[in-house]
């Protein structure tokens, strides 16, 4: 490191201070030490530092006191807490208070050097070197502006973030934005849908395997944790993990190391964990479907993505952006949308959120006869149109009799309704047929048969 960095080390054990100081000096970091909370606060008020390392147990307080003091006075300063081995409760508490990361005793020097490099990179994000990526989130609504501010703040931390929100609301987009605005921006971002991995392949997908470790293992496989080294691993639909895999994932996160199937030793990894699900994970814990200790470890910081119906002011902006994107993909001119059609979109509840808006516009763009999308091109589900601001006389009512007359026969009309229901369920669960069958209350075989009959799946 050519630039001179400074660190504040807070510990009342001379041996630990010496170990930390020697390691950081070799990295080109100049160190100042303090042996209690009072002297540390005095130094923090008088001098600027690039990183702070503090022991949890101090003679006149603890590391959480230091974290909270820094959060109040110099929140841009990354602070890492050193905890006793295996004391994950304390580590999680420090992260919730605003710590950048944590180290466990006995201190692993490789982990220490990695932490310091990440912290220094994070500290520099306050300068002109911060990533200048354009926001992936479109919108001017208060809900989106608040979400943007949270993303910018959380991007600099290494704390696990649990992203909540309905299907199609943009949870992966939020995770990518957090990655791209943080110190790991130039390293991999890997997203995995936990519900889409076959159970028998799950351990291999996450942790990797050695050649010959099981039938079909013809060569070494790296695994997601190792493939995302230095970057971010996004666990989408984490609620779908089976309980036995939850145990293994918890151990990997706590130890910051993984053992490949057939491997002889654990290998450390340097990855930030982000997770998400559209389900109520607290309810899953209460029902015994999700481990409470893993939930506690993933849910250090919770970030909620608002549904599209709570940001109706953004519908017009999103609509025009998505139409431009669709037109570019099809190499066609961007279509217009009539005021009446746009008004109907703004009154729609969007059960499938932004993903549903994109699907609606793609269908309308494909089917419209002119260069302007009209209300009838949208083919919206009228029972999902928001009617709270409309007079009773203008609330749309479905007449199944009148709708049926639009079809050659009643069987075709009922098939259209069935097709709409199945598509809605599949879109909600990202085309996971097993989950869709469960949600609809039918067997997997029955769903496959219905999809083939309706032309939704090849024979």
């Amino acid at each position: 490191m050519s630039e001179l960095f400074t660190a504040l080390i807070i510990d009342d054990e001379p041996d630990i201070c010496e170990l930390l100081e020697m390691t950081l000096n070799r990295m080109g970091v100049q160190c100042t030490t303090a042996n209690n909370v009072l002297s540390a606060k005095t130094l923090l008020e008088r001098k600027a530092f690039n990183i702070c390392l503090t022991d949890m147990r101090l003679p006149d307080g603890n590391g959480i006191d230091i974290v909270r003091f820094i959060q109040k006075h110099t929140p841009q300063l990354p602070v890492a807490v050193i905890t006793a081995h295996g004391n994950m409760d304390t580590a999680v508490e420090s992260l919730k208070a605003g710590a950048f990361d944590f180290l466990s005793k006995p201190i692993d020097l490789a982990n220490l050097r990695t932490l310091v490099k990440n912290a220094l990179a994070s500290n520099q994000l306050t300068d002109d070197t911060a990533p200048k990526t354009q926001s992936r989130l479109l919108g001017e609504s208060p809900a989106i502006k608040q979400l943007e501010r949270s993303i910018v703040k959380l991007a600099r931390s290494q704390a696990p973030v649990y992203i909540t929100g309905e299907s199609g609301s943009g949870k992966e987009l939020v995770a990518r934005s957090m990655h791209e605005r943080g110190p790991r921006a130039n390293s991999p971002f890997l997203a995995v849908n936990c519900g889409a991995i076959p159970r028998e392949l799950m351990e291999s997908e996450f942790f990797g395997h050695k050649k010959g470790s099981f039938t079909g293992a013809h060569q070494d496989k790296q695994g997601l944790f190792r493939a995302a080294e230095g970057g971010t691993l996004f666990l989408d639909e984490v609620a779908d993990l089976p309980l036995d895999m939850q145990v293994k994932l918890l151990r990997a996160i706590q130890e910051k190391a993984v053992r490949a199937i057939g491997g002889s030793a654990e290998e450390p990894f340097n990855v930030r964990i982000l997770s998400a699900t559209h389900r109520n994970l607290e309810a899953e814990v209460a029902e015994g479907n999700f481990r409470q200790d893993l939930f506690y470890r993933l849910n250090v910081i919770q970030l909620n993505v608002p549904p599209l119906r709570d940001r109706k002011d953004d519908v017009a902006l999103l609509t025009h952006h998505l139409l431009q994107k669709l037109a570019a993909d099809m190499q066609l001119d961007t279509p217009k949308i009539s005021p009446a059609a746009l008004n109907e979109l703004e009154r729609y509840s969007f059960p499938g959120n932004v993903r549903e808006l994109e699907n609606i516009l793609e269908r309308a763009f494909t089917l419209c006869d002119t260069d302007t999308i009209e209300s009838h091109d949208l083919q919206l589900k009228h029972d999902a149109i928001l009617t709270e601001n409309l007079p009773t006389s203008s609330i749309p009512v479905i007449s199944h009799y009148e709708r049926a007359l639009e079809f050659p026969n009643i069987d075709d009309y009922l098939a259209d309704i069935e097709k709409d229901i199945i598509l809605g369920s599949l879109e909600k669960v990202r085309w996971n047929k097993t989950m869709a069958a469960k949600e609809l209350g039918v067997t997997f075989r029955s769903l496959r048969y219905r999809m083939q009959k309706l032309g939704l799946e090849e024979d």
Side-chain angles (χ1 to χ4, degrees):
M1 298 181 183
S2 57
E3 185 178 348
L4 180 64
F5 294 103
T6 57
L8 174 61
I9 298 172
I10 311 167
D11 203 307
D12 61 337
E13 295 183 47
D15 291 347
I16 296 293
C17 281
E18 184 178 1
L19 175 65
L20 295 173
E21 193 168 356
M22 286 176 58
T23 305
L24 268 65
N25 282 343
R26 287 172 182 160
M27 298 177 69
V29 181
Q30 188 177 49
C31 300
T32 302
T33 59
N35 57 16
N36 58 49
V37 173
L38 181 61
S39 58
K41 288 181 177 178
T42 301
L43 285 166
L44 286 165
E45 289 174 336
R46 292 178 179 175
K47 187 177 178 182
F49 296 95
N50 299 109
I51 182 176
C52 176
L53 300 172
T54 179
D55 193 21
M56 179 55 72
R57 301 181 64 180
L58 296 167
D60 56 343
N62 58 48
I64 302 293
D65 298 329
I66 298 294
V67 173
R68 289 174 178 152
F69 181 85
I70 288 174
Q71 282 294 300
K72 182 178 179 180
H73 296 92
T74 53
Q76 74 279 4
L77 173 63
V79 51
V81 174
I82 302 169
T83 67
H85 177 70
N87 195 342
M88 287 305 301
D89 288 351
T90 303
V92 170
E93 185 184 356
S94 68
L95 291 171
K96 285 182 180 290
F100 174 81
D101 208 341
F102 71 93
L103 281 170
S104 296
K105 294 180 179 178
I107 295 173
D108 181 283
L109 295 184
N111 286 340
L112 172 61
R113 285 190 285 268
T114 297
L115 184 150
V116 171
K117 288 178 182 177
N118 288 336
L120 293 176
S122 174
N123 181 265
Q124 289 182 291
L125 293 180
T126 57
D127 302 326
D128 294 335
T129 55
K132 298 297 190 298
T133 57
Q134 186 176 1
S135 174
R136 287 180 174 269
L137 303 175
L138 289 177
E140 299 294 333
S141 63
I144 283 296
K145 291 299 182 184
Q146 178 57 48
L147 183 60
E148 283 277 7
R149 288 191 290 269
S150 297
I151 288 171
V152 171
K153 181 178 179 180
L154 295 175
R156 299 178 64 251
S157 170
Q158 296 304 291
V161 178
Y162 168 52
I163 305 169
T164 63
E166 298 176 4
S167 290
S169 58
K171 297 185 292 296
E172 182 175 336
L173 217 57
V174 168
R176 285 186 182 275
S177 296
M178 212 176 299
H179 168 79
E180 291 171 351
R181 297 187 177 197
R184 298 176 179 269
N186 295 323
S187 297
F189 174 91
L190 295 185
V192 54
N193 186 331
C194 297
I197 304 175
R199 185 167 183 160
E200 63 274 13
L201 298 178
M202 199 164 279
E203 187 173 357
S204 172
E205 285 295 315
F206 278 107
F207 308 138
H209 63 249
K210 296 297 182 181
K211 180 180 178 180
S213 56
F214 56 85
T215 303
H218 301 302
Q219 58 186 10
D220 288 355
K221 180 180 178 66
Q222 193 173 37
L224 291 165
F225 276 89
R226 297 294 299 157
E229 179 66 21
T232 302
L233 181 58
F234 175 54
L235 306 176
D236 197 9
E237 300 303 345
V238 71
D240 292 335
L241 287 171
L243 286 169
D244 59 333
M245 191 61 205
Q246 292 176 29
V247 176
K248 295 170 183 175
L249 179 62
L250 176 64
R251 173 175 172 77
I253 293 174
Q254 290 186 163
E255 299 299 324
K256 295 185 177 181
V258 293
R259 185 197 300 269
I261 298 174
S264 58
E266 288 189 333
E267 298 180 56
F269 64 81
N270 167 29
V271 170
R272 186 183 189 186
I273 303 293
L274 305 177
S275 60
T277 180
H278 73 280
R279 286 152 69 177
N280 185 331
L281 211 50
E282 291 180 341
E284 295 294 316
V285 170
E287 294 174 8
N289 298 325
F290 200 84
R291 291 183 63 95
Q292 186 173 23
D293 45 8
L294 179 58
F295 174 65
Y296 182 59
R297 189 66 186 87
L298 294 174
N299 189 31
V300 173
I301 299 171
Q302 186 168 317
L303 184 63
N304 184 57
V305 183
L308 186 53
R309 63 180 171 276
D310 288 349
R311 37 183 293 228
K312 289 185 286 184
D313 294 346
D314 294 334
V315 170
L317 179 63
L318 285 166
T319 296
H320 292 300
H321 169 76
L322 290 170
L323 286 175
Q324 288 175 350
K325 179 176 176 290
L326 288 167
D329 291 343
M330 297 180 186
Q331 297 183 331
L332 297 171
D333 293 333
T334 304
K336 300 174 184 176
I337 183 165
S338 71
L342 188 57
N343 180 260
E344 192 162 345
L345 283 175
E346 289 173 337
R347 291 191 292 109
Y348 187 64
S349 66
F350 289 104
N353 292 289
V354 179
R355 189 184 300 125
E356 183 180 9
L357 172 61
E358 186 170 10
N359 290 340
I360 288 169
L361 293 174
E362 183 173 8
R363 181 177 61 210
F365 188 12
T366 304
L367 298 178
C368 70
D369 296 325
T370 67
D371 61 353
T372 300
I373 295 174
E374 301 291 350
S375 297
H376 61 84
D377 295 318
L378 300 174
Q379 300 183 18
L380 297 184
K381 304 167 189 173
H382 288 278
D383 56 339
I385 292 179
L386 300 172
T387 58
E388 66 271 18
N389 296 322
L390 295 178
T392 305
S393 60
S394 64
I395 296 176
V397 178
I398 296 177
S399 170
H400 290 294
Y401 170 71
E402 292 179 1
R403 286 291 313 280
L405 295 179
E406 299 174 12
F407 291 78
N409 54 63
I410 191 172
D411 290 334
D412 285 355
Y413 176 51
L414 293 175
D416 186 70
I417 293 175
E418 184 179 13
K419 184 176 182 179
D420 196 42
I421 292 170
I422 291 174
L423 282 172
S425 177
L426 287 167
E427 287 177 3
K428 181 179 178 182
V429 296
R430 296 191 177 188
W431 285 78
N432 184 315
K433 296 171 189 172
T434 302
M435 290 176 63
K438 184 178 179 181
E439 184 180 70
L440 293 171
V442 298
T443 64
F444 179 79
R445 181 174 300 202
S446 174
L447 178 63
R448 285 285 305 274
Y449 170 75
R450 291 167 187 266
M451 290 177 66
Q452 289 173 357
K453 181 182 70 172
L454 296 169
L456 298 176
E457 184 175 84
E458 295 180 1
D459 295 323

